[in-house]
Amino acid sequence: MLGCLYVHCRSETTSQDKGLRKVTRPPAPSPRSCASRLCSVLAEKERRVKANDREHNDRFPYADNRIKTSKYNAFTFLPVNLFEQFQRVANAYFVILLILQLIPEISSLSWFTTIVPLGLVLAITAVKDATDDYFRHRSDQQVNNRQSQVLIRGSVQNEKWMNVRVGDIIKLENNQFVAADLLLLCSSEPYGLCYVETADLDGETNLKVRQAPNVTSDLGDVSRLTDFDGEVICEPPNNKLDKFTGTLHWRDNEYSLDNEKMLLRGCVLRNTEWCFGMVIFAGLQTKLMQNCGKTKFKRTSLDKLMNTLVLWIFAFLVCMGVILAIGNSIWESWIGRRFEVFLPWGESRSSAVLSGFLTFWSYVIILNTVVPISLYVSVEVLRLSHSLFINWDQKMFCGRTDTPAEARTTTLNEELGQVEFIFSDKTGTLTQNIMAFSKCSIDGQTYGDIYDEFDQRVEITEKTACVDFSFNPLCDRGFKFHDSSLVEATKREDPAVQEFFRLLALCHTVMPEEKSEGDLVYQAQSPDEGALVTAARNFGFVFRARTPETVTLWEMGRAVTYQLLAILDFNNVRKRMSVIVKNPEGHIKLYCKGADTLIFDRLDPSCSRLMNETSEHLSEFAGEGLRTLALACKDIDEEYYEAWAERLRCGSTAIEDREEQLAVLYEEIEQGMKLLGATAIEDKLQEGVPETIARLNLADIKIWVLTGDKLETAMNIGYSCNMLRDDMNEVFVVSGQTRLEVQQQLRSAKEHIVGLSRVSSPGDIEKSDAFADDSVFEEAIIAEYALVINGHSLAHALEPQLEHILLDLACLCKTVICCRVTPLQKAQVVELVRRHRGAVTLAVGDGANDVSMIKTAHIGVGISGQEGMQAVLASDYSFAQFRCLQRLLLVHGRWSYFRMCNFLGYFFYKNFAFTLVHFWYGFFCGFSAQTVYDQWFITLFNIVYTSLPVLAMGLFDQDVSDQNSLRYPSLYKPGQQNLLFNKRRFFLCTLQGVTTSFLLFFIPYGAFSVMEKDDGSSFSDQHTFAVTVATTLVIVVSVQIGLDTHYWTAVNLLFVGGSLVVYFATLFAMQSNGLFGVFPGNFPFVGTALNCLSEKSVWLVILLTTVVCVVPGLVVSFLRVDLFPTPTDKVRHLQRCRKKQRPQQQSLRRARRTSSRRSAYAFSHQQGYGELITSGKNMRTSTASSARSPDRTAGSSNWIENVLKRKNEVACIS
């Protein structure tokens, strides 16, 4: 996520209006013509917007505020959708066949056998795509029709969002969404401040502060805003959420504008009664929509493989057609001429060569069923059904938010079984962005754990009793703590405990709001600051009010006001914060909190024993993944403070080296402090995140975290999720500021991993990466490494000269974390992996800043949480919690891939076996393009006789249960390696089909040449032969699908048995006297079935052919499983052994992470907020209404003890 964008109200500004510079405006240039202004806008060099002047702004082609995320409209749907569908080679192939079937000279099959299924496929796909796009249209309309208050002709009027224009002045009220990118003009707060929540942009729920230009902050009433005619000249539309450059021209003066004065579309106004803003960017040109990216047409790798295979099959079909056409020409030349007396050539066949040419096209039509259209109908049905299975999965349903999993597309299900890279956002995706005060150490004593009567630590669960805070009428009832000994120490007024909580109540930048007596709401700059102040509040030290000069606490029922003398603000170098206060007794004290290493270096030597004890406690807290802070205080002599304060005033007004002078003064007064203790805060992960990441790692899925948070925060979450561990060989941190530094850091890390010395000149990039394409390095590396890179360095690393080094290094690492990245950089990282690795990628996020990444990846997943619905609307799949990802991939994804691969393999097998009988028959029928089977059998074979059994297999088959799919994640690897269906597998399936067709033809042919009927006559008619071959074919493919099915259900039994019954019923009905009497020309095989199948010898031929066709494959399968079992075969064996027992659940117990790493200061905390408080700019002069954020319940998460070390055990199941 992008970092906090707080206003830095620093004292170095020349006026109270931070960042504004007032200069004399140069002489205005002569007005440009409309044409030249238009050209300027089209060139996108700058944007000129005039307030309250629609006529002026309409001269420029600025976008209106209407958004569009849909792909089609009523006019483009048909052509665009058909264009997308005909990117499938098979669809174009079927159209060509349809045209050929319309030529009577070469067609031996009716045209309707092709156009009906083709039209059905196109219609089903079009309806599905139209339905998906309808929901996008509906979402767009819902947003576009939202109401906004616009200043029009001197009054505030309601307008739909889509009617808002650039230059309009909009009024926003508390809890309203920002309709467009606005320049903040004024607000109900002092100094033009307002508070916004940017969760829909960056997923962060902590509030950000924005401040209007000082020159407009007093335009508080409608009349003055109506007269406002300022002109803004700024940068053109772009996707940089954290940057804005512009100038406000008003009353012959110029005022600089930056991002701190902008309200971006997607933000929500919080704790501010009202504000007015001027529209700068609208609609698709807002920064939110610029980050959304284009909706892409996504196709699976199986779809692309199918296109290649269709071309192969077509080439094979042409070869067979050529062979048979040549055979026809030779036969007609040598033998056919003898029959011209009673079988003369028609006009269309005036020569043997022409006859062969026409025969070629006839055989192309007859043999086209090697790729039947019913295959694509079945594929669409399977994909739709697999999507419904995801929607119906109760184990992916979130009861707390009443949110089911949703497959928002039906075309990518099998791709879920082939994912190699997951790109995840952090805040709101891995974490709940909720901090909880978990434990603390005070004066060498730890609090937070509970023990039983045997003095053994008890694990804290949701059912563990909480401490009763009823003694405190101002407590936060949502606060949970389980160790009652800390409350008892507070009640008996232990000095160390009281000073500890007094520090937490005083040393912060939180703003309180008391909506009613005792109803306190804290607005914290960062969630962990809020957690610490709330903890102090519950233990009797309630932070109740503040002014620029005072802080009022309610200490154990008594109101105490402290004089606030100074705030020594936090920054990334200090990593600590201090306040200096004077208590009612007149004593001056300094309270400090921050990173333990920095605090310990500044302690008085007398604290050495306590420091050692506290250090042990901190290591213990960090081992459990908690975020820690050390607390210290110091008594200050008043005389010394006065002298120090004077030097501080001089330093704060210095022109040069101001920061350095202040740092020296801060350092001086923060020496010799007394240690009070330490806090441990839990940055609550979403439920099941560590387990999910562990299982996905065991499945050889690489997880990269792409977040806008600062490096330290991202690394803390990495340790909490076990993505980063202390037992890793190395964690590389790339933070270079220049391209050369980044290149050197990447090179040295890569060389360290591969253990090779490749020091070369900075420009010699290609030579040093000669080994980059050798994937053996990746597989040979046993040690585990991690890469952490910040956004500034990533910008250099993504340049064409360095991107290959970055990718090679990242792929050699077990974990990759990119922090401080922009939405565009997220998409670029995904595109880099997708383009150069050829792997299936999945992106998961919850905010609008993740949309571009989600659209770029092969598969996009949206987390439907509290951060808005932008990511969900752009995603292919959505659910409420990250933990559902393991079930989506390891169960539904793996099953979908397994089912689709088995379905395709079997489908090609049965259709080659069905179709190539015509090829063998061609050598015995004079290459006349005569079909073996009855035309009705050809029409119904794929539609009726064999469609339902293969559909049942594609719908319900499973090699292992869902429990074992999760228990043994290594079973996911075959999908990543394309082992279940690839070109080799296709060749084997077609070879089996060709062999079966050979046996199906020649065994009955040989048998009939020597067999006699019971009455002594021979089997000489073609009809009897056709019925025998057709019946044998149906039985063979039915037996084969029975052998290929791993998981039998009642539906499978019904469909297989029912298909055989339907075949025989249809066979006898169509070859009966009744139908022949009604349609003599359409049913020529009258009586054949009854005469043929009443012969015992025919059934013996059918039985022999079935055994010969099926048994060899059965033997090969048995020997393979017995001699060369795969991990799936081993798990299936274990599953059968435990069939009568309930599967034993995997033991996932909470384990303490052994880590010596301690987290540092303040999650998302930024420098500068302390001075905003002491300046008083954010203090209300009157009570303003505000709204409290919805309460959120914190979920618990489990830990896996050394789960990643089980990888070899899982892969080698005995």
Side-chain angles (χ1 to χ4, degrees):
M1 304 302 170
L2 295 177
C4 299
L5 305 175
Y6 281 93
V7 177
H8 294 195
C9 295
R10 306 204 50 82
S11 57
E12 64 260 30
T13 53
T14 56
S15 67
Q16 285 185 330
D17 184 13
K18 171 257 174 190
L20 290 182
R21 62 182 190 277
K22 182 176 180 180
V23 298
T24 304
R25 186 172 183 176
S30 58
R32 296 183 297 173
S33 66
C34 293
S36 63
R37 296 174 74 98
L38 179 61
C39 292
S40 174
V41 172
L42 292 176
E44 291 294 331
K45 293 181 179 178
E46 66 178 22
R47 168 160 292 206
R48 289 176 173 263
V49 182
K50 196 168 184 180
N52 291 317
D53 194 342
R54 286 191 172 186
E55 183 178 348
H56 170 85
N57 297 323
D58 286 345
R59 300 176 187 174
F60 304 93
Y62 297 149
D64 58 24
N65 208 36
R66 186 191 303 269
I67 64 164
K68 178 178 178 293
T69 61
S70 54
K71 292 169 59 178
Y72 315 108
N73 58 40
F75 300 102
T76 63
F77 173 74
L78 191 60
V80 172
N81 188 260
L82 287 177
F83 172 77
E84 290 177 348
Q85 291 201 56
F86 281 110
Q87 289 187 32
R88 282 182 176 172
V89 176
N91 286 341
Y93 163 73
F94 291 132
V95 169
I96 295 173
L97 285 177
L98 177 62
I99 295 172
L100 292 176
Q101 284 182 287
L102 297 175
I103 304 174
E105 286 78 8
I106 63 174
S107 177
S108 52
L109 292 176
S110 301
W111 59 270
F112 62 81
T113 59
T114 299
I115 194 170
V116 172
L118 175 62
L120 186 63
V121 170
L122 297 177
I124 290 175
T125 307
V127 169
K128 174 181 66 65
D129 292 341
T131 302
D132 292 343
D133 209 54
Y134 165 75
F135 288 110
R136 296 191 190 100
H137 274 285
R138 193 170 69 174
S139 172
D140 290 345
Q141 290 177 1
Q142 182 180 2
V143 173
N144 289 331
N145 290 326
R146 285 178 179 172
Q147 293 294 313
S148 181
Q149 299 181 72
V150 182
L151 186 61
I152 301 176
R153 292 185 295 274
S155 64
V156 176
Q157 303 177 14
N158 286 332
E159 280 278 8
K160 294 180 179 179
W161 275 25
M162 60 183 178
N163 296 328
V164 172
R165 299 190 200 174
V166 170
D168 287 350
I169 293 180
I170 295 178
K171 180 182 180 181
L172 295 175
E173 295 181 347
N174 193 36
N175 296 327
Q176 282 188 346
F177 279 92
V178 180
D181 289 355
L182 310 178
L183 168 64
L184 179 62
L185 297 178
C186 58
S187 74
S188 59
E189 304 301 296
Y191 301 96
L193 292 175
C194 75
Y195 301 88
V196 292
E197 182 182 284
T198 60
D200 220 15
L201 291 176
D202 53 26
E204 294 182 3
T205 55
N206 50 299
L207 300 185
K208 313 293 192 301
V209 180
R210 295 292 181 263
Q211 183 177 12
N214 193 47
V215 69
T216 65
S217 61
D218 58 349
L219 300 178
D221 58 84
V222 173
S223 60
R224 299 178 68 181
L225 286 166
T226 303
D227 296 333
F228 177 67
D229 60 352
E231 183 179 22
V232 173
I233 302 177
C234 65
E235 61 189 15
N238 59 72
N239 59 9
K240 297 178 181 178
L241 291 171
D242 58 346
K243 183 180 179 183
F244 178 81
T245 304
T247 306
L248 172 62
H249 296 260
W250 191 39
R251 295 175 179 172
D252 296 327
N253 290 311
E254 295 181 358
Y255 305 90
S256 65
L257 304 175
D258 56 26
N259 200 58
E260 311 304 324
K261 298 174 177 60
M262 295 295 293
L263 304 180
L264 301 184
R265 180 180 180 130
C267 297
V268 182
L269 190 68
R270 299 291 192 198
N271 297 339
T272 306
E273 188 175 354
W274 53 263
C275 73
F276 284 91
M278 172 183 170
V279 178
I280 305 298
F281 303 119
L284 297 177
Q285 293 180 339
T286 59
K287 292 181 181 287
L288 172 67
M289 299 306 298
Q290 290 280 307
N291 274 288
C292 284
K294 293 183 179 179
T295 302
K296 296 183 178 180
F297 177 60
K298 296 184 178 182
R299 297 161 59 215
T300 67
S301 56
L302 281 181
D303 271 337
K304 298 172 185 176
L305 177 61
M306 284 289 294
N307 278 349
T308 302
L309 297 182
V310 167
L311 292 175
W312 285 13
I313 292 172
F314 183 72
F316 178 66
L317 181 60
V318 169
C319 291
M320 289 192 296
V322 169
I323 293 172
L324 294 170
I326 293 173
N328 177 266
S329 296
I330 296 173
W331 191 89
E332 290 289 357
S333 299
W334 292 358
I335 302 173
R337 295 185 182 275
R338 305 174 188 175
F339 299 93
E340 285 189 50
V341 176
F342 66 92
L343 193 63
W345 284 354
E347 294 180 1
S348 61
R349 296 177 181 261
S350 57
S351 68
V353 175
L354 180 58
S355 176
F357 175 76
L358 296 176
T359 301
F360 166 79
W361 294 108
S362 297
Y363 271 113
V364 167
I365 295 173
I366 291 174
L367 299 175
N368 81 85
T369 50
V370 286
V371 187
I373 302 178
S374 59
L375 169 65
Y376 288 92
V377 177
S378 302
V379 165
E380 293 300 330
V381 171
L382 289 181
R383 285 174 170 170
L384 176 61
S385 301
H386 293 167
S387 298
L388 293 176
F389 292 159
I390 294 173
N391 296 345
W392 295 338
D393 191 345
Q394 290 298 311
K395 295 181 181 178
M396 296 174 68
F397 177 80
C398 179
R400 182 171 57 85
T401 60
D402 194 29
T403 305
E406 181 182 5
R408 299 173 55 82
T409 181
T410 59
T411 58
L412 302 175
N413 296 317
E414 64 269 20
E415 197 97 311
L416 291 170
Q418 300 179 274
V419 174
E420 292 186 55
F421 289 86
I422 292 178
F423 301 91
S424 175
D425 180 34
K426 183 193 73 64
T427 306
T429 302
L430 298 178
T431 66
Q432 301 179 45
N433 201 22
I434 298 175
M435 301 291 178
F437 183 83
S438 179
K439 297 180 182 181
C440 63
S441 171
I442 304 175
D443 196 26
Q445 174 69 37
T446 61
Y447 299 93
D449 291 319
I450 57 176
Y451 299 86
D452 58 18
E453 61 272 18
F454 304 106
D455 204 29
Q456 297 294 317
R457 182 183 297 179
V458 178
E459 182 177 357
I460 296 175
T461 66
E462 288 292 321
K463 297 181 180 179
T464 305
C466 296
V467 172
D468 182 13
F469 290 105
S470 59
F471 73 93
N472 181 3
L474 296 177
C475 69
D476 182 349
R477 303 193 183 280
F479 180 81
K480 293 183 179 180
F481 198 76
H482 304 278
D483 186 1
S484 59
S485 62
L486 185 56
V487 175
E488 294 170 0
T490 306
K491 290 181 177 179
R492 65 172 179 262
E493 299 185 355
D494 185 314
V497 174
Q498 288 196 331
E499 194 72 351
F500 179 90
F501 285 115
R502 185 176 290 113
L503 184 152
L504 294 183
L506 290 171
C507 186
H508 55 77
T509 58
V510 174
M511 295 297 299
E513 181 175 2
E514 192 164 0
K515 301 198 302 185
S516 60
E517 181 66 25
D519 184 11
L520 281 169
V521 176
Y522 291 146
Q523 298 301 336
Q525 182 196 2
S526 60
D528 57 349
E529 275 220 318
L532 293 175
V533 177
T534 300
R537 168 184 176 180
N538 278 267
F539 285 98
F541 287 76
V542 183
F543 168 56
R544 198 154 189 184
R546 75 154 76 241
T547 69
E549 297 83 20
T550 64
V551 175
T552 301
L553 304 185
W554 196 263
E555 297 183 358
M556 304 302 291
R558 304 187 312 273
V560 181
T561 299
Y562 293 83
Q563 184 180 350
L564 181 60
L565 302 179
I567 295 181
L568 313 187
D569 207 1
F570 166 88
N571 64 36
N572 288 325
V573 177
R574 285 169 42 77
K575 294 184 179 178
R576 62 190 184 276
M577 171 192 176
S578 299
V579 295
I580 302 176
V581 298
K582 179 183 288 188
N583 62 22
E585 289 77 26
H587 299 149
I588 298 176
K589 301 204 70 168
L590 177 143
Y591 292 104
C592 181
K593 66 180 180 183
D596 53 277
T597 53
L598 296 170
I599 298 293
F600 288 173
D601 289 342
R602 291 156 179 80
L603 294 179
D604 188 271
S606 62
C607 298
S608 57
R609 182 190 61 81
L610 179 59
M611 182 180 69
N612 293 333
E613 293 177 354
T614 305
S615 182
E616 292 179 3
H617 298 159
L618 285 167
S619 297
E620 182 181 346
F621 297 156
E624 299 177 19
L626 303 177
R627 299 170 51 79
T628 59
L629 289 175
L631 310 183
C633 66
K634 175 184 178 180
D635 290 310
I636 300 177
D637 180 71
E638 186 169 357
E639 185 177 340
Y640 168 78
Y641 171 75
E642 292 295 340
W644 179 86
E646 182 59 35
R647 284 183 289 149
L648 179 67
R649 281 189 288 272
C650 294
S652 62
T653 56
I655 303 300
E656 297 181 356
D657 301 326
R658 180 184 304 170
E659 296 293 338
E660 291 76 5
Q661 293 184 40
L662 293 177
V664 171
L665 291 169
Y666 291 171
E667 183 74 22
E668 174 190 328
I669 202 167
E670 288 174 337
Q671 297 293 328
M673 297 185 292
K674 301 287 187 180
L675 182 63
L676 290 177
T679 63
I681 294 177
E682 181 181 1
D683 184 3
K684 287 186 176 294
L685 297 172
Q686 286 198 15
E687 180 184 352
V689 166
E691 297 93 323
T692 299
I693 291 176
R695 283 200 175 104
L696 295 177
N697 280 330
L698 289 173
D700 260 8
I701 298 175
K702 293 181 173 65
I703 302 178
W704 294 14
V705 175
L706 311 179
T707 176
D709 281 323
K710 62 183 181 180
L711 183 144
E712 201 160 47
T713 302
M715 291 184 68
N716 284 333
I717 297 301
Y719 279 99
S720 299
C721 298
N722 276 344
M723 295 177 66
L724 299 177
R725 303 189 313 279
D726 281 343
D727 59 358
M728 283 184 160
N729 296 69
E730 191 78 34
V731 177
F732 301 105
V733 178
V734 178
S735 57
Q737 295 298 311
T738 66
R739 177 179 173 276
L740 190 61
E741 290 178 0
V742 173
Q743 177 178 305
Q744 189 59 41
Q745 290 176 356
L746 292 175
R747 283 179 182 278
S748 61
K750 184 175 179 180
E751 291 167 3
H752 177 85
I753 293 178
V754 299
L756 300 174
S757 178
R758 288 182 171 84
V759 180
S760 59
S761 61
D764 191 12
I765 296 171
E766 292 79 13
K767 184 184 296 184
S768 68
D769 294 319
F771 65 96
D773 295 332
D774 190 356
S775 61
V776 175
F777 281 106
E778 293 180 31
E779 298 179 3
I781 291 175
I782 301 175
E784 291 187 349
Y785 299 93
L787 172 66
V788 182
I789 183 170
N790 65 31
H792 188 82
S793 302
L794 185 63
H796 294 297
L798 288 173
E799 294 177 0
Q801 298 88 346
L802 297 183
E803 63 179 12
H804 289 286
I805 305 179
L806 170 67
L807 183 59
D808 295 335
L809 173 61
C811 290
L812 292 173
C813 294
K814 185 75 174 178
T815 297
V816 178
I817 298 177
C818 302
C819 52
R820 286 296 186 197
V821 293
T822 65
L824 180 61
Q825 286 178 326
K826 291 185 179 184
Q828 289 174 336
V829 171
V830 176
E831 181 62 31
L832 176 67
V833 174
R834 179 172 178 168
R835 186 172 66 249
H836 294 295
R837 301 299 296 185
V840 177
T841 58
L842 181 147
V844 54
D846 67 325
N849 61 329
D850 303 315
V851 169
S852 186
M853 171 179 73
I854 286 172
K855 289 185 175 181
T856 303
H858 292 89
I859 303 168
V861 175
I863 303 294
S864 53
Q866 59 191 5
E867 285 80 18
M869 296 293 288
Q870 289 288 335
V872 171
L873 294 175
S875 67
D876 304 304
Y877 301 89
S878 67
F879 37 74
Q881 293 181 313
F882 182 83
R883 64 177 176 82
C884 297
L885 190 60
Q886 62 178 323
R887 189 165 180 84
L888 181 70
L889 299 183
L890 302 184
V891 177
H892 291 287
R894 204 182 73 82
W895 277 353
S896 293
Y897 175 70
F898 168 78
R899 291 163 177 168
M900 190 63 72
C901 290
N902 284 359
F903 166 82
L904 291 174
Y906 175 79
F907 216 103
F908 283 120
Y909 152 74
K910 78 179 180 69
N911 281 285
F912 269 77
F914 162 62
T915 305
L916 264 66
V917 172
H918 295 299
F919 178 78
W920 310 120
Y921 183 58
F923 291 90
F924 297 88
C925 68
F927 306 96
S928 59
Q930 182 182 357
T931 60
V932 178
Y933 314 112
D934 172 21
Q935 181 167 315
W936 287 106
F937 180 80
I938 296 174
T939 304
L940 297 177
F941 176 76
N942 280 308
I943 298 176
V944 178
Y945 301 151
T946 60
S947 61
L948 292 182
V950 70
L951 269 179
M953 182 178 73
L955 287 174
F956 304 112
D957 199 21
Q958 51 181 261
D959 51 351
V960 298
S961 64
D962 57 341
Q963 294 93 340
N964 282 329
S965 293
L966 293 173
R967 189 175 186 182
Y968 303 108
S970 60
L971 299 181
Y972 187 81
K973 296 177 185 178
Q976 298 171 325
Q977 301 165 10
N978 283 314
L979 296 182
L980 300 188
F981 191 78
N982 48 38
K983 294 173 183 177
R984 177 180 175 275
R985 172 79 172 164
F986 168 75
F987 175 76
L988 293 177
C989 292
T990 54
L991 180 62
Q992 183 185 5
V994 171
T995 304
T996 301
S997 71
F998 183 86
L999 298 173
L1000 281 171
F1001 179 82
F1002 283 101
I1003 292 178
Y1005 181 81
F1008 277 23
S1009 64
V1010 297
M1011 281 172 47
E1012 292 182 350
K1013 296 182 181 180
D1014 293 340
D1015 59 2
S1017 60
S1018 62
F1019 290 90
S1020 59
D1021 63 294
Q1022 189 263 344
H1023 285 192
T1024 300
F1025 179 76
V1027 171
T1028 303
V1029 173
T1031 303
T1032 307
L1033 172 65
V1034 173
I1035 293 175
V1036 166
V1037 297
S1038 297
V1039 172
Q1040 187 63 49
I1041 199 171
L1043 296 175
D1044 289 345
T1045 300
H1046 300 79
Y1047 181 76
W1048 282 90
T1049 65
V1051 176
N1052 294 80
L1053 290 170
L1054 176 64
F1055 284 178
V1056 173
S1059 295
L1060 288 172
V1061 171
V1062 168
Y1063 166 71
F1064 284 108
T1066 306
L1067 178 68
F1068 284 106
M1070 288 189 173
Q1071 298 184 10
S1072 64
N1073 293 329
L1075 283 178
F1076 178 76
V1078 179
F1079 306 103
N1082 294 327
F1083 299 97
F1085 279 45
V1086 60
T1088 304
L1090 184 60
N1091 294 333
C1092 172
L1093 298 180
S1094 62
E1095 297 289 337
K1096 297 177 182 177
S1097 55
V1098 171
W1099 284 105
L1100 288 174
V1101 171
I1102 293 173
L1103 178 62
L1104 174 64
T1105 307
T1106 301
V1107 171
V1108 173
C1109 289
V1110 171
V1111 168
L1114 182 61
V1115 172
V1116 170
S1117 297
F1118 174 79
L1119 292 176
R1120 183 193 62 76
V1121 172
D1122 194 56
L1123 300 178
F1124 309 102
T1126 63
T1128 303
D1129 296 327
K1130 297 175 183 179
V1131 174
R1132 291 187 67 232
H1133 175 71
L1134 290 176
Q1135 189 171 285
R1136 285 194 297 269
C1137 293
R1138 300 170 180 169
K1139 190 174 183 180
K1140 296 183 180 180
Q1141 302 176 1
R1142 183 185 180 94
Q1144 189 176 4
Q1145 295 296 321
Q1146 188 175 7
S1147 176
L1148 300 177
R1149 64 185 181 85
R1150 184 179 179 92
R1152 293 167 57 201
R1153 177 171 61 81
T1154 57
S1155 169
S1156 59
R1157 188 179 192 280
R1158 300 170 192 164
S1159 37
Y1161 190 79
F1163 178 94
S1164 297
H1165 204 90
Q1166 294 286 312
Q1167 180 182 2
Y1169 201 74
E1171 193 154 351
L1172 183 64
I1173 290 175
T1174 55
S1175 70
K1177 290 185 177 182
N1178 63 336
M1179 303 300 172
R1180 301 174 185 269
T1181 56
S1182 60
T1183 304
S1185 64
S1186 66
R1188 189 173 185 174
S1189 300
D1191 292 332
R1192 292 163 290 182
T1193 58
S1196 62
S1197 62
N1198 293 324
W1199 293 83
I1200 302 178
E1201 185 178 19
N1202 298 325
V1203 68
L1204 298 179
K1205 296 181 181 179
R1206 294 179 58 249
K1207 186 172 184 179
N1208 293 332
E1209 301 174 17
V1210 173
C1212 303
I1213 305 164
S1214 57

